Amino acid sequence: MPESGHTWQKAFKAEAIEARHVRLWTAGRVRHPDAPLLAHELYVAVLGAGAAAIEMTLSTAGPRIRITAQGPDPLPLIHSHGPGWTLICGLADRAGLTTDECGLWAQLGVSR
């Protein structure tokens, strides 16, 4: 039996005040206690790279939640593996850089 899921996408202005909206938007769609903080950290990492807008994507499939923060340009190394990366890796079951290197993703709900 295939797993069903949902996907939500929203572009946020690249402004520090929007980080709160990212957390609220995430908490309103998925019920994992770490998801809002994880979305916040992904957003802040891409925000630090100087993007004008950041596209956030939440995807669910069964018990899994995947959160992606994407900007228009490749991320400098410090933003894709800087101090927030430690927090992201500590909260997520899996995390990485998108294939185009313009964003970061993290996945919850998967055994390691």
Side-chain angles (χ1 to χ4, degrees):
M1 180 155 117
E3 292 178 315
S4 63
H6 300 283
T7 298
W8 299 272
Q9 286 186 309
K10 183 172 181 178
F12 290 88
K13 291 180 186 177
E15 298 173 0
I17 193 142
E18 289 291 302
R20 181 176 187 272
H21 298 134
V22 168
R23 290 190 306 272
L24 291 171
W25 179 76
T26 302
R29 282 153 186 79
V30 295
R31 297 287 177 233
H32 193 288
D34 294 332
L37 178 56
L38 196 50
H40 170 92
E41 288 300 323
L42 293 168
Y43 174 84
V44 169
V46 177
L47 174 67
I54 299 167
E55 176 131 344
M56 297 297 297
T57 305
L58 296 173
S59 297
T60 63
R64 294 181 303 281
I65 302 166
R66 186 176 182 122
I67 305 168
T68 305
Q70 182 94 19
D73 301 312
L75 297 173
L77 190 59
I78 188 69
H79 298 287
S80 61
H81 290 86
W85 188 247
T86 303
L87 185 55
I88 292 167
C89 289
L91 292 172
D93 295 316
R94 296 179 181 158
L97 193 61
T98 59
T99 55
D100 62 4
E101 299 182 357
C102 294
L104 298 170
W105 62 270
Q107 191 166 320
L108 296 163
V110 177
S111 47
R112 295 179 185 203

